[in-house]
């Protein structure tokens, strides 16, 4: 009798396991992390791709912002033919010549000698910490005929 009960119990477990296995097909619930559970894919994957693209875009924007920030120009950065801009990015003139301590900048109102340490630079080129109006006034004063 005990053998029959044991056989019935084993048969019940085998049938129960088979039924549980049959429930893991498509459209049936599966315990996440269980053996044989499918890898989850879906909206989270596309969100991860979007997050990655946003991070890359931010890194790129930060790199551009760093190069737009003015830093002191080295003497080797000041070369003949280079455009010089004001603090707002407006072109003031061009460097005509450079010596050991200064550069001659040609503007609409004439020429002016600018000390090399006055130059800054950013991703657009050479800069002076003046507005175009102030620079033009300085050039006009430097080129004023003596009385």
């Amino acid at each position: 009798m005990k053998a029959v009960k044991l056989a019935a119990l084993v048969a019940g477990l085998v049938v129960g396991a088979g039924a549980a296995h049959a429930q893991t097909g498509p459209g049936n619930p599966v315990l996440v992390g269980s053996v044989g559970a499918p890898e989850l894919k879906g909206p989270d994957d596309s969100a991860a791709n979007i997050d990655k693209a946003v991070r890359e875009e931010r890194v790129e924007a930060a790199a551009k912002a760093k190069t737009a920030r003015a830093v002191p120009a080295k003497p080797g950065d000041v070369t003949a033919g280079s455009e010089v801009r004001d603090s707002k990015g407006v072109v003031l003139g061009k460097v005509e010549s450079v010596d050991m301590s200064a550069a001659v900048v040609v503007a609409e109102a004439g020429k002016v000698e600018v000390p090399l340490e006055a130059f800054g630079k950013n991703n657009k080129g050479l800069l002076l910490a003046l507005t175009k109006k102030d620079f033009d006034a300085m050039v006009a004063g430097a080129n004023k005929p003596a009385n």
Side-chain angles (χ1 to χ4, degrees):
M1 185 75 130
K2 286 187 180 183
V4 174
K5 286 184 181 180
L6 182 61
L9 180 64
V10 170
L13 289 176
V14 171
V15 171
H21 180 69
Q23 292 178 357
T24 61
N28 293 317
V30 175
L31 179 62
V32 176
S34 65
V35 177
E39 182 181 343
L40 296 178
K41 291 186 178 183
D44 290 339
D45 286 343
S46 61
N49 290 336
I50 291 170
D51 287 346
K52 180 181 177 186
V54 168
R55 278 193 306 275
E56 289 172 356
E57 188 175 318
R58 286 181 183 163
V59 167
E60 205 172 291
K64 286 180 183 178
K66 285 182 182 178
T67 58
R69 192 174 307 146
V71 296
K74 297 175 185 168
D77 295 330
V78 183
T79 58
S82 298
E83 283 187 333
V84 180
R85 299 176 185 276
D86 73 358
S87 56
K88 295 180 181 179
V90 177
V91 176
L92 300 173
K94 283 192 175 188
V95 176
E96 180 180 67
S97 63
V98 182
D99 65 23
M100 294 298 287
S101 62
V104 175
V105 178
V106 179
E108 293 172 9
K111 298 179 185 181
V112 66
E113 191 172 80
V114 180
L116 293 180
E117 57 269 0
F119 287 96
K121 70 175 184 173
N122 68 3
N123 62 340
K124 293 186 178 185
L126 297 174
L127 302 169
L128 289 175
L130 300 166
T131 64
K132 180 159 176 52
K133 180 181 175 183
D134 292 339
F135 181 78
D136 287 344
M138 183 179 75
V139 172
N143 290 292
K144 189 188 238 183
N147 288 348

